[in-house]
Amino acid sequence: MDAAVFARERAYLVRVAYRLTGSVAAAEDCVQEAWLRAHARDDVEAPRAFLTTVVTRVALDAMRAERRRRRHYDGPWLPEPLRTDDEEPDRHDSLSMAFLVLLESLRPRERAVFVLHEVLDVPMPEVAKAVDRREDACRQLLRRARATLAAREGRAVIPSRVTRDTASRLFLALATGDLDGLCALLTDDAQAITDHGGRASAARRPVRGRDAVSRLLHGLAQKGLRAGLTASVHTVNGALSLLVCEGDRVTTVLTPEVTADGVRAVWIVRNPDKLARI
């Protein structure tokens, strides 16, 4: 396969692998492995379909290995943040933290079938080839995935301008120490989940409820101000997020999940292994 052909598909392949694994590092490894398998081939008639199949199969192995490792993970697990500053908002919301966390409820092959067919519009014959299953088996996997996600999600898609406005108001409340304003933006069942991996100071378990979450966020903001930390707003996983820095090193990525009723979740990543590429 010609290197120029692969280069044209690379960004797409990274997004495929990222949606499957929830890890930027793993996605890049999957794509590199795909190139190692493809570069010696000169008989590829449909490069994107071929590369998608290879990336999916490598990602399936990575997902199974990650599930085994995660049994020993310290604290809550969240996807590795992905900077999307220069990209158009994803119409399917399929790069969002909330959606990627939701996908964790699926088994690896269910997730692959759902992402390829439902999110990326890959035809079912190509999906079947990618996951090495018959088409009828893939349709059954897709039905199970849809049922699992429908039972867990229960939220409507909110217009991008609304989510960005709400997120901006949340960040302003944090910056100004407005505890009442912060509390008013949260839903009654709001939660804050921090991925620390045992390698950073953080709430060890999910914090739930409007009052508890608002106090946690307010306390973290005040502590950061006293420590002289800096913060800036960027687009991460398609949503406005707060990047907190100590010197030139990002130590926290905070991403709110906005629903029609307000901020329902705040995803906080502090594991330094997941912030190295941000």
Side-chain angles (χ1 to χ4, degrees):
M1 179 179 291
D2 185 75
V5 174
F6 181 82
R8 286 198 297 270
E9 299 293 345
R10 192 180 187 283
Y12 165 79
L13 296 171
V14 170
R15 291 300 186 262
V16 172
Y18 178 71
R19 288 178 173 96
L20 294 177
T21 63
S23 166
V24 179
E28 291 174 345
D29 288 345
C30 289
V31 173
Q32 180 61 27
E33 179 65 24
W35 168 241
L36 292 176
R37 297 186 187 185
H39 83 280
R41 298 280 299 267
D42 56 6
D43 59 343
V44 178
E45 296 181 359
R48 173 167 287 196
F50 172 79
L51 291 168
T52 299
T53 293
V54 176
V55 164
T56 299
R57 292 185 179 181
V58 176
L60 282 169
D61 290 338
M63 291 158 67
R64 296 184 187 107
E66 176 59 27
R67 289 202 167 199
R68 290 192 293 272
R69 286 193 296 269
R70 208 175 298 168
R71 295 170 188 164
H72 307 290
Y73 196 79
D74 190 348
W77 181 95
L78 292 175
E80 181 180 349
L82 175 69
R83 284 280 290 272
T84 53
D85 283 318
D86 300 325
E87 300 181 16
E88 291 295 320
D90 193 317
R91 191 165 57 90
H92 298 285
D93 199 26
S94 62
L95 288 175
S96 72
M97 279 282 181
F99 186 72
L100 292 172
V101 169
L102 197 62
L103 290 179
E104 288 297 313
S105 61
L106 302 179
R107 295 175 179 176
R109 194 169 268 111
E110 289 176 347
R111 180 169 179 164
V113 170
F114 184 86
V115 167
L116 292 177
H117 188 67
E118 201 82 347
V119 176
L120 300 173
D121 297 322
V122 176
M124 190 57 80
E126 292 182 23
V127 174
K129 186 175 182 180
V131 302
D132 195 23
R133 287 292 187 271
R134 299 190 314 272
E135 283 189 50
D136 59 339
C138 287
R139 295 188 189 282
Q140 179 63 29
L141 289 169
L142 182 60
R143 283 193 292 271
R144 287 209 302 262
R146 285 171 173 166
T148 299
L149 298 182
R152 289 173 177 264
E153 193 191 19
R155 67 187 178 95
V157 175
I158 308 302
S160 176
R161 61 176 177 77
V162 176
T163 62
R164 295 176 72 86
D165 177 67
T166 302
S168 297
R169 291 163 60 199
L170 180 79
F171 300 151
L172 180 61
L174 288 172
T176 59
D178 183 3
L179 180 58
D180 291 337
L182 180 63
C183 193
L185 291 168
L186 303 175
T187 63
D188 290 338
D189 61 347
Q191 61 177 343
I193 297 178
T194 305
D195 181 334
H196 51 80
R199 303 197 55 212
S201 60
R204 310 301 290 181
R205 295 181 178 84
V207 176
R208 306 185 192 280
R210 171 185 280 145
D211 291 340
V213 172
S214 60
R215 289 196 300 271
L216 170 71
L217 296 178
H218 180 266
L220 291 174
Q222 295 304 302
K223 182 179 179 180
L225 288 171
R226 290 193 297 271
L229 303 184
T230 60
S232 55
V233 177
H234 295 272
T235 305
V236 176
N237 292 86
L240 281 190
S241 301
L242 201 63
L243 271 61
V244 181
C245 296
E246 184 175 342
D248 60 356
R249 181 171 60 92
V250 176
T251 58
T252 303
V253 174
L254 185 152
T255 304
E257 178 194 351
V258 179
T259 70
D261 299 320
V263 177
R264 188 175 72 176
V266 180
W267 314 102
I268 306 171
V269 178
R270 285 189 45 77
N271 184 342
D273 291 340
K274 296 186 178 183
L275 299 176
R277 280 162 290 275
I278 201 70

